[in-house]
Amino acid sequence: MNPTPEQTEAVAAYGDGADLVLQAGAGCGKSSTLKLIARSDPRARMTYVAYNKTIADDAKRSFPMSTQCSTAHGLAFAGIGRQYAHRLSGPRQTAHQAAQALNVPHILGYPTGTPVVLNDAGEKIAFPSKKIMRYAQETVTRWCYSADPEPTTQHIPRRTGLKSYDTIDQIAELVLPVARAAWADLRKTDGVLKFQHDHYLKMWQLGGPKLHTDVVLLDEGQDTNDVVVDVIQRQEHAQRIVVGDSAQQIYSWRGANDALAKFAASSGSQERMLSQSFRFGPAIADSANAWLYIVGTELRLTGFDPISSVVGTVDTPDAVLCRTNSGAMQVVVDALGRGVPVALVGGGSDMKRLAQAAEALQEGRDVDHPELVGFPSWDAVRQYADEEADGADLRVLVDLIDEYGTAAVIKSADALVSEDKAELVVSTAHRSKGREWDSVQIHSDFRAPSPDPATGLVTIQREDARLAYVAVTRARLALDDRALSWIADVKAVTS
């Protein structure tokens, strides 16, 4: 395919040494544009940093030999990770086993008894060693995503019912000492904790590596963790070309940030845009553009005229995309009940763990599942879902468990099939990123925001608008977005 005028302009902008930011809409050929840039100057040493290993391996087959194609983890493994390779192959480790291996009670100085934290409602939540350990592990992970020199309170995950400043301060007293002890163990080549790829990536970043390259090509820049952005920002000897779609930034909740905005703000940087989509026709492009308007970006997509896409009712979609794990559970259970073979993107383990956590709460047992950890009982979950504005996500779960029971949901998770054997694929919108299907239906758990009681205005969080944009742009030929018809009522966006 011949380059579009926008691609030609992007290639022409390369080579003057200034940072280049390419805003590329869904299906707009960002990877092919990067290849055009690499092929335009085969003598230059370039490093292409891919979003995942599959993309990196594909790039190795199509980029010129002068371009090193790798993930950030691949670069870090070559730099420092090899000495920890033997730890990566260690057995799986539960939070309970990790707490025992690290001796959490000894670290915190409580040989007997279980610490208690008051949640946002003032209810007592038990924090046994395994829960403290899970929080500490997640704190270390969130810190590893950041550019920060050490783990602090800001890296502690915020859970429903456990978000207030007073509650976080209580949790920090238990979690931060364990998180620091965990990192000290992870830095050893003979430590006792399970070692992950993100650990050597963080060590690599803290060491201030220098890439021996003339140009760095960063893909999927809108959802790049700060740990990687920090490394690339330090490559001042090289030209940085950052490509992505700021409107598809949907992982800020786990520490990812928009590298495109950071590099666009740097002195002397250039910005270019890719707006011609080759994934779908004009009808789906129009739906996407409605969300781009809400998001507040200048980008507008042009649909590919040879593709006759339609927007309307789709009775038998190839994929149903949901906002929440609970919504995906609901679709799976309903479809299996009709005898439809179903696949769930990412597998059924998350679905099963959530149902098991709900079952534990119903039986009065302690849970450490991220979505339910802040509740002392199942009745408390019900009350929160019914009464709180932020309870809409959990309302789907409550209705599902109360209607079908936890045993039926767990059985459904075990009944899932692989995608090649499925008649229906179900996915959360987050997991659908990078995927596409001929026909897509948006699930009803993309609920309309409630009007502001003071002004009556319907406002939406910007990240929710970006998530809706990602969802509608997964369809190639047919899109059923009736669940998002409330977009017409949205009057404002909040960050």
Side-chain angles (χ1 to χ4, degrees), residues 21-22 111 123 130 214 322 334 350 352 398 431 450 466:
V21 174
L22 285 177
E123 302 162 318
K130 71 171 185 177
D214 302 313
C322 308
D334 289 346
D350 288 345
K352 191 171 182 176
V398 169
R431 287 187 180 273
S450 301
R466 291 193 289 254

Side-chain angles (χ1 to χ4, degrees), residues 442-455:
I442 309 300
H443 184 49
S444 59
D445 70 338
F446 274 87
R447 297 177 183 271
S450 301
D452 184 279
T455 65

Side-chain angles (χ1 to χ4, degrees), residues 356-374:
Q356 289 171 332
E359 184 176 66
L361 273 183
Q362 289 176 334
E363 296 174 353
R365 293 184 282 119
D366 181 60
V367 302
D368 59 359
H369 190 283
E371 296 191 42
L372 300 178
V373 67

Side-chain angles (χ1 to χ4, degrees), residues 3 10 13 105 167 202 248 319 333 362:
T167 301
K202 183 62 180 178
Q248 292 191 57
V333 172
Q362 289 176 334

Side-chain angles (χ1 to χ4, degrees), residues 103-404:
N103 198 349
V104 168
H106 176 74
I107 294 171
L108 296 176
Y110 67 91
T112 61
T114 299
V116 171
V117 168
L118 297 180
N119 69 6
D120 299 346
E123 302 162 318
K124 292 182 178 180
I125 304 294
F127 260 70
S129 292
K130 71 171 185 177
K131 187 179 290 186
I132 296 171
M133 190 70 232
R134 188 178 299 280
Y135 255 89
Q137 289 171 320
E138 293 187 47
T139 298
V140 170
T141 297
R142 290 167 66 91
W143 171 62
C144 286
Y145 292 155
S146 77
D148 299 327
E150 61 182 25
T152 64
T153 301
Q154 69 177 346
H155 303 116
I156 294 175
R158 271 57 174 172
R159 303 299 187 205
T160 302
L162 298 171
K163 296 180 180 180
S164 71
Y165 289 119
D166 289 343
T167 301
I168 291 297
D169 285 344
Q170 296 173 65
I171 294 173
E173 290 183 8
L174 299 171
V175 169
L176 287 182
V178 178
R180 291 167 183 145
W183 182 247
D185 174 88
L186 292 168
R187 291 183 61 188
K188 302 175 183 176
T189 56
D190 60 349
V192 297
L193 296 181
K194 173 64 177 173
F195 193 88
Q196 307 284 357
H197 292 277
D198 287 331
H199 298 147
Y200 66 73
L201 177 63
K202 183 62 180 178
M203 295 177 193
W204 182 62
Q205 174 258 335
L206 290 173
K210 180 177 180 179
L211 302 179
H212 300 289
T213 189
D214 302 313
V215 182
V216 179
L217 306 169
L218 175 63
D219 203 353
E220 296 289 348
Q222 78 281 349
D223 270 321
T224 302
N225 292 325
D226 280 351
V227 64
V228 177
V229 174
D230 180 72
V231 171
I232 294 176
Q233 284 183 319
R234 292 173 182 269
Q235 311 307 310
E236 297 180 352
H237 62 284
Q239 181 181 19
R240 282 77 57 95
I241 300 177
V242 183
V243 185
D245 183 356
S246 292
Q248 292 191 57
Q249 185 200 359
I250 59 173
Y251 285 108
S252 58
W253 54 273
R254 74 175 189 189
N257 282 310
D258 186 3
L260 290 96
K262 290 188 176 184
F263 281 95
S266 63
S267 177
S269 65
Q270 301 184 68
E271 292 186 71
R272 296 291 186 272
M273 196 172 292
L274 303 177
S275 62
Q276 173 63 67
S277 182
F278 300 99
R279 179 178 298 161
F280 40 70
I284 294 178
D286 289 344
S287 293
N289 287 335
W291 285 104
L292 288 173
Y293 173 79
I294 296 294
V295 169
T297 178
E298 295 181 6
L299 176 67
R300 297 293 183 273
L301 299 181
T302 300
F304 194 45
D305 286 330
I307 301 178
S308 299
S309 297
V310 295
V311 176
T313 302
V314 178
D315 294 324
T316 55
D318 296 317
V320 175
L321 305 185
C322 308
R323 185 183 179 277
T324 65
N325 286 320
S326 301
M329 289 169 60
Q330 183 182 52
V331 176
V332 166
V333 172
D334 289 346
L336 288 172
R338 301 193 311 270
V340 178
V342 183
L344 181 65
V345 174
S349 58
D350 288 345
M351 173 178 172
K352 191 171 182 176
R353 282 195 295 268
L354 186 53
Q356 289 171 332
E359 184 176 66
L361 273 183
Q362 289 176 334
E363 296 174 353
R365 293 184 282 119
D366 181 60
V367 302
D368 59 359
H369 190 283
E371 296 191 42
L372 300 178
V373 67
F375 298 97
S377 66
W378 184 246
D379 284 341
V381 177
R382 280 198 186 104
Q383 183 177 359
Y384 184 89
D386 288 338
E387 298 178 1
E388 299 296 330
D390 293 336
D393 292 354
L394 287 177
R395 198 170 302 129
V396 179
L397 174 65
V398 169
D399 292 343
L400 182 73
I401 297 299
D402 285 351
E403 179 177 356
Y404 294 100

